[in-house]
Amino acid sequence: MNMKRISVSCGVLLLSVATAVFWWLGPEDEETLSVPERVCGGIFSGEKIAPLLRGSEGEMESEVIRNFPGSRNRSNTPVCELSAEGGSAGFRVIYTGYPDDPKELKKEYRFIVEFGPSYGAYSYLSGTITLDIPCPTSSDPKATLFLNMGASAAREGDAEGMTRLEEVGGYAARTLAQKVYKCKGAEKLPEGPVHIKKGEGTR
């Protein structure tokens, strides 16, 4: 009888230890951040955007300003701001924008951004990327869809935050150019992330 009690006690102890180890090593991000199915007025998947707020707690909230994401007919610099306890992120769109010179961007910025036919820069101080996506009109064949996107996790050149920004940047650019603004040639935007590369400048 005593042996049975000892065996039961050992089993309970082992189960408790295993549970504690699983809790300690488990993915706490999934436990602490509540992610809605859609954000930014229903434009983006909450799951796809969630990496920008990884490590934050509570419910992911989004605030839409000037009818984000706008449209080809009306785009008055719409904005979507995301937040949770411990982190923030945001998207801003300008249409039609005017393309920057890639050579000048490379000379000016410490980091540049490349994404198929699109290009831009990464500001390590603010944790933002800018991207000029070709989106021509009949009256302006050089017009672009200008996307500004940033996250608090990517400030000061944080390597992990930059990686998250690259991943979400590719998704956001494709969604806006292909599904919202329906830019001519948007199908040329590649799958996967944007690429942040070394520039020659100091900004």
Side-chain angles (χ1 to χ4, degrees):
M1 188 70 172
N2 288 338
M3 290 299 293
K4 288 184 178 179
R5 289 180 180 174
I6 291 173
S7 297
V8 170
S9 297
C10 288
V12 171
L13 179 61
L14 288 172
L15 180 61
S16 299
V17 171
T19 301
V21 170
F22 176 80
W23 175 83
W24 185 60
L25 296 176
E28 67 176 275
D29 291 343
E30 295 181 3
E31 298 291 333
T32 58
L33 182 63
S34 176
V35 181
E37 184 176 350
R38 309 294 299 181
V39 296
C40 295
I43 297 302
F44 298 136
S45 158
E47 181 181 355
K48 294 285 191 181
I49 300 299
L52 293 181
L53 294 177
R54 187 175 298 152
S56 302
E57 299 182 352
E59 183 176 354
M60 179 194 290
E61 298 181 352
S62 67
E63 180 183 2
V64 169
I65 302 170
R66 291 184 291 277
N67 297 316
F68 183 89
S71 69
R72 292 182 70 100
N73 297 324
R74 183 182 178 85
S75 178
N76 188 25
T77 316
V79 176
C80 174
E81 296 180 347
L82 300 166
S83 63
E85 186 178 345
S88 62
F91 301 86
R92 180 167 62 98
V93 176
I94 297 177
Y95 182 79
T96 60
Y98 299 94
D100 293 305
D101 185 337
K103 293 181 180 179
E104 291 301 318
L105 286 176
K106 188 173 183 179
K107 291 179 181 178
E108 183 178 355
Y109 283 87
R110 184 177 296 189
F111 298 97
I112 59 169
V113 180
E114 296 179 350
F115 188 55
S118 307
Y119 52 86
Y122 164 71
S123 174
Y124 70 99
L125 290 176
S126 61
T128 61
I129 62 172
T130 59
L131 197 63
D132 282 300
I133 305 168
C135 199
T137 66
S138 55
S139 59
D140 187 356
K142 293 186 177 180
T144 67
L145 174 63
F146 177 85
L147 171 62
N148 178 286
M149 186 186 83
S152 57
R155 291 174 186 158
E156 304 298 335
D158 181 87
E160 184 180 348
M162 289 171 67
T163 298
R164 298 180 201 171
L165 205 56
E166 287 179 308
E167 293 172 353
V168 178
Y171 164 74
R174 285 190 301 274
T175 300
L176 290 169
Q178 296 173 353
K179 298 181 180 180
V180 178
Y181 284 81
K182 302 185 186 302
C183 300
K184 184 178 180 180
E187 70 281 356
K188 295 178 182 178
L189 295 176
E191 292 297 318
V194 302
H195 299 288
I196 298 177
K197 299 183 176 182
K198 285 281 188 178
E200 301 169 354
T202 57
R203 286 186 62 181

